[in-house]
Amino acid sequence: MEQGHHFSQQLGQFLPSQQLDSGTFCYLSLGDWLRLADNKKLLSDIQSIEANTSLLIDKLVNQMKSQVSSEATLRVSLDKFTSDIINQSTANLVEPETNPLMGVRGVARYADSDYQAWFKLECDLIKALRENFSNVSIVVPFVRSLADAARIIDKLAEQGLPRGLNGLKVLFSINVPSSALLAERLLHYFDGLVIDSEDLTQFTLGVDKSNPVHKHSYAPDNESVVHLVTAAQMAAVAGKKPAILLTEALESNRAYQALLADNKELSVIVTS
């Protein structure tokens, strides 16, 4: 079992005291990083996104260089946030939704014409990281179908990030049950998978973790969730591609501990 470092919250807030070495792999959520207070104020509308792209690129690259070896494996996730959170960062960049949690996210969002300035910014950030780090791969959240898989591979190529060019690897994130159920076939389009246990738990059990009423219903160790996690991991093994479990509070989840103990190929990133 390989364990990585998650920088979605730490980067720019809780910096490691020493640079992480070349044997480390790191997971960076661009959505979380872009919404750090110092960055969010630069992204109030489309014009500010375009005007501040170079500034944000320099800032991200310099921060990463200060704490990660240029030889480290860096996996960078595209934004997965809901429309309400997006519009809190930018002045109504996208159409409001009645039910944002179940709404347009991931690949469906990247194909939205209103979102193209933000998507281009994320791709430009990834290209800059690839120029400064030797092993950068992309993680695509909310790939709900095979059509989504084909669409995002094309969208990335349009932005100068074709899968396979100079070794570029593209992984998909399992956020919803359909991604887990289709994992074997989705892996024909991707170079590996990331299992986002928090999202997968919410969508499998139909609970909103942020709702206090659902506090006791949110259970990542529920049998149905563990079944989907196991199925996805087995699909990765069969396809001889990497699988990463993104989870929180691993020390209290015996089901995941057992899964990791039995499957040495499965890497883990603990988010809290």
Side-chain angles (χ1 to χ4, degrees):
M1 179 186 71
E2 186 179 18
Q3 184 161 348
H5 297 260
H6 187 280
F7 282 137
S8 66
Q9 300 300 330
Q10 293 141 302
L11 190 57
Q13 292 184 333
F14 309 107
L15 301 180
S17 58
Q18 297 180 342
Q19 188 183 61
L20 299 176
D21 62 30
S22 59
T24 301
F25 80 81
C26 309
Y27 190 94
L28 170 65
S29 165
L30 282 181
D32 283 327
W33 183 81
L34 286 167
R35 288 176 179 81
L36 293 175
D38 288 346
N39 298 332
K40 189 165 65 172
K41 63 186 179 184
L42 302 174
L43 301 166
S44 58
D45 53 35
I46 292 177
Q47 289 73 30
S48 65
I49 292 172
E50 294 173 345
N52 292 311
T53 294
S54 295
L55 176 61
L56 288 163
I57 286 173
D58 290 342
K59 187 174 182 181
L60 176 60
V61 169
N62 289 334
Q63 286 187 339
M64 292 303 295
K65 280 184 173 180
S66 72
Q67 53 192 303
V68 181
S69 164
S70 62
E71 302 301 317
T73 298
L74 182 59
R75 295 186 172 103
V76 184
S77 174
L78 296 170
D79 194 349
K80 68 170 187 174
F81 282 108
T82 56
S83 56
D84 54 341
I85 295 178
I86 292 170
N87 286 335
Q88 288 171 16
S89 304
T90 55
N92 296 319
L93 179 67
V94 299
E95 287 292 325
E97 296 177 291
T98 302
N99 187 355
L101 184 67
M102 298 289 288
V104 181
R105 302 173 71 178
V107 178
R109 178 66 67 201
Y110 312 143
D112 184 347
S113 59
D114 292 336
Y115 195 75
Q116 291 313 293
W118 190 285
F119 180 61
K120 182 179 184 302
L121 169 62
E122 291 187 80
C123 290
D124 287 344
L125 289 169
I126 292 170
K127 285 187 281 188
L129 289 172
R130 280 178 52 78
E131 291 173 358
N132 289 273
F133 295 86
S134 61
N135 193 354
V136 177
S137 56
I138 302 171
V139 180
V140 182
F142 283 91
V143 180
R144 293 173 161 124
S145 65
L146 299 176
D148 275 357
R151 182 183 301 174
I152 190 57
I153 295 300
D154 288 344
K155 293 290 292 182
L156 289 170
E158 290 170 6
Q159 292 293 334
L161 291 168
R163 177 189 173 209
L165 180 66
N166 297 324
L168 176 61
K169 294 183 178 180
V170 182
L171 294 77
F172 75 99
S173 176
I174 294 180
N175 306 83
V176 294
S178 64
S179 301
L181 295 170
L182 289 172
E184 182 177 357
R185 297 170 69 186
L186 286 171
L187 283 168
H188 293 300
Y189 295 87
F190 296 99
D191 301 293
L193 58 84
V194 175
I195 304 165
D196 187 326
S197 67
E198 180 177 338
D199 282 341
L200 185 60
T201 299
Q202 293 188 93
F203 283 99
T204 301
L205 300 181
V207 300
D208 180 357
K209 183 185 176 185
S210 65
N211 186 339
V213 177
H214 287 166
K215 180 179 179 181
H216 299 294
S217 299
Y218 176 80
D221 57 352
N222 180 278
E223 293 88 343
S224 58
V225 180
V226 175
H227 176 77
L228 290 172
V229 171
T230 303
Q233 190 271 334
M234 291 176 64
V237 170
K240 297 182 180 179
K241 294 182 177 180
I244 303 165
L245 176 63
L246 194 65
T247 186
E248 56 185 356
L250 181 62
E251 70 278 0
S252 62
N253 192 323
R254 294 185 178 180
Y256 286 177
Q257 291 174 21
L259 182 64
L260 290 163
D262 292 339
N263 298 276
K264 303 301 182 183
E265 304 91 347
L266 182 61
S267 301
V268 63
I269 297 175
V270 180
T271 60
S272 61

